[in-house]
Structures are given as C-alpha cells and as structure tokens.
Amino acid sequence: MTADDSVLRHTEGHAGYLTLNRPRALNALTHRMVRHLDEALTAWEQDREVATVVIGGSGERGLCAGGDIRAIHDDAREGDGTASLAFWRDEYRLNARIARYPKPYVALMDGIVMGGGVGVSAHGGVRIVTERSRIAMPETAIGFVPDVGGLHLLAGAPGELGTHLALTGASMSAGDALLCGFADHLVPAARLPECAADLAVMAVPDAVRRHAAAPPEAELAAHRGWIDSCYAADTVEEIVDRLEQSGEQAAKHAAQTLLEHSPTALKVTLAAVRRARRLGSLERVLDQDYRVASVALGSADLVEGIRARIVDKDRDPHWSPARLEDVTDAEVERHFRSLGEGELGVAEVTA
C-alpha cells in the first residue's frame, strides 16, 4: 500500500493487484499516482513471485475518469506549465511501459474509463470490459487533443470510427470497445470480482475463459455507413457539412457536437489521428502527443474548456478562435513541431 493510499497495492497468489483509489474523484490520475504505478511495475517486473499484474478502480463508478484536469487548469492559468509537462512526461512513459510490460497486464475496465484511464488500461495485454463500461477520449470538449496514446488505438479502428470518436469524444459501449480495439474480453460485472480473484491462482487465459461472456453487439457497427462517408473528408469543415447533409439524425447530432467543441482542438485532432496512422507505433504516437500537449498547454482554449466543463460547469465555453474557418493551417502545424531537447523520446528508447 502506498503512503497516501491513492494507489492500493498488494499481492495474492501469483498476482500483483493495483487499485486506483480516489473514488470521489472517479479515480482521476495525479502525478503521484502515476509514479506509484510505475514503482509497482518496476518492483513486480523483477519479482519471481508475481506472474500477473491486475489493475482496477475503487468505488462503483469506474476505473478512471482521466487525468486530474483541474490541476492542469490551475497550472496553465496560474503556473508556468512545468508541473503539467512533468506529469505528462511520466504518464506517457508509463503508457509505453504498460504496452511493453513483460508479464500479463490485465485491466479491469468496468464503468467509466476515459482519457488517462484509457492510457493505464487499453495498452495492456489483456483488457476486460463489462456491460457497464463506457470508454471515451473526450478531450476536444475541453479544448485539448486525445493523448495517452489513445490516437494509436483510434487510428487502428475500422474505417473512420476512430476519427468519429476522436473528434466527438463519444463514449464506446463494451461492444464498441471490442470492435475498435480498446478491449479483448467481456466479463459480466457481477462476475468481475471472482474473475479478479482467479487471476491469483490460475493462468490468465484460463481465468478469463472461465468468466467471459459472448461479445455484445457493437452499437457503432450500425452507423458505419454515414461515419465512413462523412469522416473521410479532408477537413473538419467538410466533415461537418457532410454530417449535416447526410440525412441521418445521428449524423446531425454528431455535427452539432463538433460545433460545440474547440475549433482549434478539432483541427489539431483530425491532423493528429491521421498522422497516427502513418506513425504506426504507440511510442511514436506518444512522442507526438507530448508535442501537441506542450503547445496546447499554452492555449486559451484549454483553460477555458476546463473552466466551462469542470470548474464553473456552465458548459458555455468561449473558444478562441470561435470558428473553424479562422483556425489556420499554420496554427495546426505549430502543434507538431519538434521540441528539440525537450522531446519525450520514448520512440528512441524502444528503437
């Protein structure tokens, strides 16, 4: 158990268990929690008694709602950004480590799993969802861009589903998460505790097989027609136009959602998810995430978006610029420039 109990840690049988333990904040990740997780992985990697790592969240609402964005808001507004950059640097390195961890890393993705919660779960080797799972990368709603390597997963989703999810921030059901490559197995929520306990005494495939249920239908599958057609457009403006003209009510709703989000964040996100397809590896995408986050940290939209959604909760952000057509190509490109000696550099480490 850690000193501040924000991450609970114990071993049982041949499994090491990590529990994110800030239930009142829906287990939102702090920098200290990221460090605790990394310390545990370091210890257990060399521990012959630990064969499997299992991560879950305390409380009934979900694994993790993301990073502590209120802290990022305060740092961006009143600080110099140093704390947020240090947090992202360690968080993204942890995401890369999870993906390459040499022992089975089992993520129990019950309930809400968003943003940073995706980063500590969906890059694992065995990802379990339940019928209660709601998984999302909702960053554009707060003037930010999907990070923690989420774009690597979204870029690999069928057709243009990843583009739709990245831009709108829409939640995936368990079936959607399985379809889009964010999860591997469904275990009914009522059986999750028993499944977790069996991981201490059984091989991972056997424990999962014992409790898994048939995959549910993916809700997004029925919308592939208009999603693939509309989101294949070259610009966000054209995507919105196609959505509005498609004749599908769900498409019109998506268009309205986009028009409520940060124009700059939308344009950078579209560029980022398409670059992620070309980048290929998770590590290269994480390096890109860090460049984008470093620029976004100094933007007015990030502070304003968090204010409107989390601080004041008036849901009335005033974006700058306020219109898609006023976001220049040069502004978008600025988010992808090399940081020189300030690069994250995880792709170099794993090369």
Side-chain angles (χ1 to χ4, degrees), residues 6 39 168 193 212 216 248 270 310:
S6 60
E39 289 167 3
T168 62
E248 296 283 347
L270 181 61
I310 305 299

Side-chain angles (χ1 to χ4, degrees), residues 115-198:
V118 170
V120 297
S121 61
H123 299 309
V126 182
R127 301 148 320 160
I128 297 172
V129 288
T130 75
E131 73 279 4
R132 304 188 304 195
S133 296
R134 301 304 297 180
I135 301 166
M137 298 298 298
E139 285 78 6
T140 55
I142 59 167
F144 197 46
V145 176
D147 64 339
V148 300
L151 290 176
H152 173 69
L153 298 169
L154 290 169
E160 294 293 337
L161 292 181
T163 309
H164 167 68
L165 293 167
L167 293 177
T168 62
S171 294
M172 288 176 273
S173 64
D176 293 333
L178 290 162
L179 172 66
C180 293
F182 281 69
D184 305 300
H185 308 281
L186 174 88
V187 171
R191 302 194 65 174
L192 201 60
E194 187 178 351
C195 180
D198 281 346

